[in-house]
Structures are given as structure tokens and as C-alpha cells.
Amino acid sequence: MAERQVRLHIDQPLRPGQAVALSEGQANYLFAVMRLPVGAPVLLFNGQDGEWRAEVAEAAKRRGVLVCREQVRPQVLPPDLWLLFAPLRKERTAFLVEKAVELGVRRLLPVATRYLSGDRFRAEKERAHAVEAAEQCGATFVPEVCALQPLEKLLSGWDGRRLYWADEALAGQGADWPGAPGDPAAILIGPEGGFAAEERERLRVLPFVTPVSLGPRILRAETAALAALTLWQARFGDWQ
Ligand code: SAM
């Protein structure tokens, strides 16, 4: 089996001949952990310019330089799908973020709900998890990870896209998901405690909200997020 090449997300433009300075962490990973020598190939992406083949030009313990050679894959965006979720305990939020990147979303929006059950949301840490997941799964795009905001604030400035509300009260009812491939969409997953009565009332009257069921059993929030993303991707997304 061919050896898997190291992939790195870089916050710099990627062009032929472009020199890319590594951070201390990246240099440590490439030269101390992966033991790459000068001349070794590395794959780079920055979320805009596709995937590039680069080579190690300088390798030191805490720093290094790569040089971009050629684009090997074009830039590919995931479908215009957002995931709204109430933060969970930190390791479960990290799991949810990692899996959402693998399954394919454009934006991750943590929302504060009445029965918010998790720790506070550490946006910078979760952004780092999203980058690691994109590096590992071959994506050329890293979803935007937004700061925590109240659900109500987000709903009052909504852009009109269809919002699939995973409603635990519908557990056991049919799994009809109206929509069409290519339509911008979002999925809302509630906290472990579920939605409060006033949140349910509010969601029920919004014209852009479509309540959906995720089968007959009550799923943990992170399972519900993965199930909903999978269902949407298989029906309307880029898995076709
Ligand atoms: N405490 C709530 C209860 O027992 O009714 C359950 C909340 S559940 C652990 C967390 C979130 O996952 C829910 O708010 C909902 O968005 C989603 N969810 C879980 N199972 C679901 C199902 N069968 N259908 C729709 N949504 C579901």
C-alpha cells in the first residue's frame, strides 16, 4: 500500500515557487515526529487554493521552510450546509466538530439554548480540531467555526435558508426530509436536556424551520448530529 503523504493546512497563499515558513508546532510534527528530510514531499492546502505538492527546503528542530511546486487537486467546497448545535462536554464537542468536518459542512455554529448542558465553547480549540480533521480526511476546505451565540439571536438574523430542526418530540415518526440538492440548508441539534417549551414554540412558527425526526430512539446529541448530517448528505449533498 502506498505510504500516506503528510498533509498540512497553511494560512498562506499557495503559488508555484512560494516559500512557506512553518510554525514551531508544524516543524516539530514534520521533522521530529514524522522525521521528514530535506527534499521530502508534503501536501499543503489553505482552504482557497486547492491542494499543492511542496518539498521540504529547510528542516530544523523548531522551524522550517517548504517550497510549493504544483497544484495537485483543485479547491473543492462542501455543500452550503451549516450545523447548529448546543455545546456538550469538551471531548464530545471535539468529537462532534471532527466528525462534522469529515461528513462535510460549510459552517459550524454553536448555540446557547435554555438547557445548555456543556462546558463553555472554546472556539479557538475547536478551530484547531477542525483544521486537524480537514488535514486528516483529505478536505481542501476548513469549515468556519463561529463563536457561541444565543439561538434566539441567530434565528432573528436568519438568512432564510431551510433549517431542519431535529425535534426529539418527533422520535418514531416518519423521516420525510423535503428539500433539493444544491439548496443552502442548516441543521439544528438540541442540548442533552432537549429544547425548552418556549424554544419549541418559537421554532414551530418560523417559516424557514422544518421539524424532522431521526428515528424511533432518542439519540445523544453528537449521534443525532452525525445521523442528521449523513441523512442530508445522502439526499441533497455531495455524496451522490
Ligand atoms: N432530553 C431530551 C428528551 O429526552 O426528550 C433528549 C435530547 S437529545 C439527547 C439531544 C438532541 O438530539 C435533541 O434536542 C434533538 O435535536 C436530537 N435528537 C435526538 N434524538 C432524536 C430523534 N429521534 N429525532 C429527532 N431529534 C433527535
Side-chain angles (χ1 to χ4, degrees):
M1 204 165 75
E3 205 174 302
R4 258 188 88 183
Q5 271 191 45
V6 176
R7 287 186 94 235
L8 276 190
H9 177 266
I10 295 285
D11 264 330
Q12 295 177 42
L14 299 172
R15 304 274 178 270
Q18 173 85 39
V20 174
L22 297 173
S23 68
E24 196 175 322
Q26 288 169 332
N28 181 61
Y29 173 63
L30 292 193
F31 310 132
V33 180
M34 301 306 292
R35 301 193 169 276
L36 295 189
V38 169
V42 178
L43 295 172
L44 301 180
F45 67 105
N46 63 4
Q48 285 165 15
D49 298 323
E51 183 174 87
W52 286 69
R53 187 178 64 78
E55 283 166 14
V56 177
E58 287 174 44
K61 221 174 175 182
R62 294 198 175 80
R63 52 182 193 78
V65 176
L66 308 178
V67 176
C68 264
R69 292 300 178 209
E70 58 184 347
Q71 194 192 45
V72 290
R73 285 169 61 212
Q75 180 62 40
V76 178
L77 293 180
D80 191 359
L81 176 65
W82 300 352
L83 177 65
L84 281 59
F85 62 99
L88 304 163
R89 282 203 311 275
K90 66 177 184 229
E91 68 285 359
R92 291 173 54 208
T93 298
F95 175 84
L96 186 156
V97 167
E98 179 184 288
K99 300 307 162 202
V101 174
E102 291 174 21
L103 293 167
V105 293
R106 195 75 72 88
R107 191 181 259 187
L108 288 158
L109 294 129
V111 289
T113 55
R114 172 91 187 277
Y115 302 139
L116 181 67
S117 51
D119 300 332
R120 68 194 172 84
F121 185 76
R122 298 161 180 83
E124 277 315 310
K125 272 217 148 65
E126 298 312 332
R127 281 179 195 129
H129 287 138
V131 165
E132 275 170 32
E135 286 175 343
Q136 181 274 327
C137 76
T140 51
F141 178 80
V142 182
E144 180 186 2
V145 179
C146 299
L148 182 67
Q149 59 184 311
L151 175 61
E152 178 49 39
K153 185 173 170 218
L154 188 55
L155 293 177
S156 54
W158 196 249
D159 73 354
R161 69 181 55 222
R162 188 192 288 273
L163 175 60
Y164 296 97
W165 164 30
D167 180 2
E168 64 269 18
L170 295 184
Q173 297 185 28
D176 181 29
W177 286 54
D183 284 354
I187 291 169
L188 169 62
I189 304 294
E192 282 307 308
F195 291 100
E198 67 270 21
E199 290 168 336
R200 311 181 62 76
E201 286 309 310
R202 175 82 171 116
L203 287 164
R204 234 191 298 274
V205 297
L206 291 171
F208 52 82
V209 170
T210 301
V212 288
S213 164
L214 295 173
R217 289 165 289 277
I218 300 291
L219 309 176
R220 290 185 77 150
E222 68 273 34
T223 317
L226 305 198
L229 290 172
T230 304
L231 284 170
W232 188 90
Q233 277 286 21
R235 281 179 164 91
F236 310 122
D238 61 9
W239 293 15
Q240 325 276 340

